[in-house]
Amino acid sequence: VYGLQSIFYFLHLVFPFINMKGWFGYRTPTISAERLQKHFDEAPWRRAFEPPEQEVDMIISSDCIEGKIPPNIEGTVFGNGVGRQRYGEHVYGHWFEGDGHVTSFCYKEGKVRVRNKFVDQRRYKENAAANKIVSRGPWTNVNGGVFGNAFRLSKTNPSNTSVIHHGGKLFALCEAGAPVEMGDDLSTIGERTFGDLVGSDGKACTFSAHYKIDPATGTVFNHGMVYGKDSSMSLFSWNKNLEMQKITTVPLEPNTIQFVHDSCFSKKYSTFFFDSFKADKKGLLSVLLGYKPLGYAFEEHIGEGTRVVVLNRENGTIVADMKIEDTHTYHFVTGVDRIGDDGEELLDVYFFRYMDRTGLEEFLRSVYTRTLPDAASATLWKYTFDVTHKKLM
């Protein structure tokens, strides 16, 4: 592999004309200033994807506040999201790949202090310094065709999805890697790994951005993925002393990659949907050879159905493992355990369902230029599972 990588890198240098033209593979998406303005004029909401003009640390002036902040409200609200979707004309290949950007609102004595900073990870530093995309990502090839991307698998962690304040520390989260610790002033301290349990090296599990907190104990429950020949998903518990423990591991379909973005949390169970939107061996080979980025290797395998796994969240026992019709979701709302009329254990799962997953992904790959199709919008659903008899009612 290292020998082949060296050969491709040599060709990348020797044939700059071919590389600049982006032949033999996906190239970095671009958008001109004129075209960008045209799309802003068509739909002003697209400006929400533009990067903030500066990082600030300031007290909000009283004349900018409508009404009055109650003086007994004190504390800090933290938020995280995609702060930068493009560098000049270079655009990330998916909304989920943009640079993480954390904001805090600190309320004290009727005043509000606002701070915002980008998560200062390696990829952010490289791209910001060059003012263009120079690091291959999950949905974005760098320019250079296959010569510039072959065998250069993305291990970037944009840390752009959510935050958690746990055990007295602040972490920025993204399902692409380990938690990134940040100071109270939003300075980036660095990735926090947990031995061979959670990391960003491809061997340990990633750490989802959609954790769940047990309100009775304050323990965090979360899941992570390991991809490769023996792909798997693990369920973790994380106590207030920042001690992490693996509860169980669920084997997944080998030689494929599936995103498990969120889970459903109830008093007794953690429930996961593994849908048919995945990257198979053929798609992964094209990623390895540099032709396309990982995200473009995913396809909807209609008719394969969705695997539902219900776990006892305390001991990790698989309570039910079943196949249902094709069901696509990113986010769950909640889960409710109850007893049926005949004494059977029932689980109500509330979630947002997408009927057109492919249309949704096409929109997320081109947020500056596309409009979300009606069929790709989320609708609220409830599935009731008979856990005792392992079926969808």
Side-chain angles (χ1 to χ4, degrees), residues 1 5 7 25 33 42 48 72 86 93 109 115 133 136 174 202 207 212 244 249 261 293 297 317 320 336 349 373:
V1 169
Q5 185 174 356
I7 292 172
E42 291 174 351
N72 60 328
R86 66 181 181 90
E109 299 176 350
R115 287 178 170 140
I133 297 174
R136 190 186 191 196
C174 175
F207 197 70
K212 313 297 177 184
M244 193 172 293
T249 296
H261 189 70
T317 303
V336 178
V349 174

Side-chain angles (χ1 to χ4, degrees), residues 328-378:
H328 300 290
T329 184
Y330 267 115
H331 300 111
F332 293 89
V333 180
T334 192
V336 178
D337 310 325
R338 58 188 176 91
I339 302 298
D341 295 337
D342 298 323
E344 71 275 24
E345 291 194 49
L346 301 179
L347 171 63
D348 294 327
V349 174
Y350 295 85
F351 66 100
F352 288 103
R353 184 177 182 182
Y354 297 94
M355 304 305 291
D356 181 7
R357 179 62 181 269
T358 301
L360 173 65
E361 293 301 320
E362 289 176 351
F363 166 71
L364 294 175
R365 292 170 182 170
S366 307
V367 291
Y368 278 123
T369 59
R370 291 180 181 267
T371 300
L372 184 67
D374 290 340
S377 298

